[in-house]
Amino acid sequence: MVSRAERGPLADWFWTIDRFFLAMFIFLMGIGFMLSFAASPAVAERIGLEPFHFVKRHAAFMIPSLCVMIGLSFLTPRQVRRTAIILLIVALGMMLLALFFGVEVKGSRRWVTLAGISIQPSEFMKPAFVVVCAWLFAEHARQPEIPGNLFAIILFGIVAALLVAQPDLGQTILTTAVWGGMFFMAGMPWIWIILLGAGGVGGLFGAYYVFPHVALRIDKFLTGEGDTFQIDTAREAIIRGDWFGQGPGEGIVKRIIPDAHTDFIFSVAAEEFGIVFCMALVALFSVLVLRGLSHAYKERNDFNRFAVAGLVLQIGIQSIINVGVNLELLPAKGMTLPLISYGGSSMVAISVTAGFILALTRHRPEKRAQERSLFRVAHGMPAE
């Protein structure tokens, strides 16, 4: 145990970090590793690999993911902002390269290969985009003459265009929802709410008529006709799990669920550990998001407020999409369950998100006191 009397980077980090957040992130990663034993062997055998291929890779990805999360949690808010700007520039550049030189998978170009490692740049773009937009919104709130909101709108347009070009409509919807939530918190005028809402609805209709695979998935969701094997088997696994599951390793339907270790790991968890376990998992994500929003509500620094709220919203909305697809409440969309699903890029990228949250929610008494005094002076109250 690190003593409170000790001084140094490690001791300061330990006593200022939100240890509940830290424990929650590590606990969820541990659940993901446990579920990889249940979900991935059948997938590996189906494609001709040794049974624990994905389990070993999952464990290998956890090490750099934990290092990234812990390393980023040492940063100050200013360093978080600078890191996000650099990461966003690199990620956008790689997304552009992926359109011309990336690996095509199921009709989409989302991946680039570096040193033999496949990377999905859009995963790393998401947390960086949230932090940079939070900074732009905060700068506009601090100095209205700075066109921060306009720059945030332009940046969103660039990101959305690159995502649609891949195409990746699921990530586009996720990014739009998170960005819209932050813009709303930043004091978006009602005219913008109406215009952006209309634009979002128009975009969905446009995607339906422009992209055949989007129309096919929506039609299958609404009518139940066509190839619904993924959703049907996922539903069957959930029903078979009942309240308390079939037991670890006793799942049968999981062996035929496509992408059981990634997009449909929630269904595997339901079959083997039951609906009660899944409800607890959803509760964990809910607590994570609510705690982040509570931090944001109490935060007096606009940048920290917008960034923390945006980052936890990203985790929360992505979780809702994944669980909604598994429960047949949303059209099928390939999206991982944060910190749980297998995936190198997604796991490391969500660790970047977690690291940013830990860094921005650290308790800094001197900084908080200074911000409180500035807030009181700005609102005509005597400084403390």
Side-chain angles (χ1 to χ4, degrees), residues 28-29 31-32 35 58 123 261-267 269 277-278 281-282 285 315-324 326 333-343 346-347 350:
L28 286 171
M29 292 178 73
I31 292 176
L35 290 177
H58 193 113
E123 292 287 348
H261 60 321
T262 53
D263 304 341
F264 290 93
I265 197 167
F266 187 83
S267 298
F277 175 86
C278 289
L281 189 60
V282 170
F285 280 108
I315 294 175
I317 295 174
Q318 183 170 333
S319 303
I320 289 172
I321 293 173
N322 178 276
V323 174
N326 277 260
K333 173 66 195 85
M335 190 169 290
T336 57
L337 187 59
L339 298 166
I340 302 295
S341 297
Y342 168 83
S346 61
M347 189 184 300
I350 203 68

Side-chain angles (χ1 to χ4, degrees), residues 159-183:
V159 168
L162 287 172
L163 288 172
V164 171
Q166 289 183 345
D168 192 340
L169 274 299
Q171 297 284 22
T172 306
I173 292 172
L174 171 61
T175 303
T176 302
V178 174
W179 181 84
M182 293 171 62
F183 202 175

